[in-house]
Amino acid sequence: MIVPGASSQALAAALTDELGESLAAVTYDRFPDGETYAAVPAFDADRAVIVAATDTNDAWVELLQLQDAVREAGATEVVTVIPYMGYARQDEAFETGAPVSARAMARAVSTGADRVVLVNPHERSVTDFFDAHVTVCDAAGRLAEPLPEDLAEPLFLAPDAGALSLAESTCASYGDGEADYFEKTRYSGTDVEITPSDADTEGRDVVIVDDIVATGSTMSQAIAHLRNDGAARVFAACIHPILARNARTKLERAGVERIVGTDTVERDVSAVSVAPIVAAAVDAVEAN
Ligand code: R5P
């Protein structure tokens, strides 16, 4: 039985096709004092596969509620798929007294999960925070699918060295072009400085590939540099299209040709589904 969190209903539906399992009729509600309530109807499956992006605090709480609810409903095995793991970037105490929020979230989720599946967590090391078995999926190759087939001398650029492997995977999956990266310095939340790569961009179509577009500061700066340097079309591709606040506007004003993302976070730019790779991971977990 596939059990959708409120923010992952389309991905959960796509997974039912991939896994040949039915979709639970989850209800989501809210009490007058603001507390959330997520419940499942009675079901007869032994295994519950909960699919819930934790892009908001409510989504985290709903996930914990669904884990508890499926056990109450009789599930004996709970697989928890977190297509986008919020708080994953808070993976160390950056100053005295700061929480390691990713660890706190991972521990909480582990109490209700037999197994966990993550899609491109910000750092793979976040898996160490879970007490449950974790499988990680890489969706970067999927980002090639919605791109036009006629990219001119395509260059796949990561906004920082850490994202180079994503750009390389997307490039390999596209089957043409080369991959490179910018140097990035982040001074504070939205204060980011991007230093252009040495790659020749004049007249070329460029695809910037990153794991997350959150405030859009990183991506919009990269786009602006490329446009100034004479690049042809500039595409923004990301696994997790959070697009918080005015991120979309920043990218449009910077001159983006098109934004493409996956459905780990369900937005109008979610042009490709991670369902096939998540299904494979769930099955692989099953085989272990
Ligand atoms: C940071 O290391 C990540 O890979 C992304 O580049 C970052 O999270 C994007 O954030 P924003 O859109 O706020 O610049």
Side-chain angles (χ1 to χ4, degrees), residues 89 122-123 159-160 162-163 166 184 186 189-190 192 210-220 243 247 250-251:
R89 287 175 289 176
H122 182 58
E123 296 287 349
D160 56 42
L166 300 178
K184 177 170 91 172
R186 185 182 290 272
T190 57
V192 173
D210 205 355
D211 60 340
I212 304 170
V213 176
T215 66
S217 299
T218 303
M219 195 59 95
S220 59
L243 295 172
K250 284 184 189 169
L251 269 58

Side-chain angles (χ1 to χ4, degrees), residues 267-278:
R267 299 284 188 264
D268 63 342
V269 300
S270 300
V272 66
S273 180
V274 297
I277 58 168
V278 169

Side-chain angles (χ1 to χ4, degrees), residues 6 110 253 261:
S110 297
R253 283 176 56 83

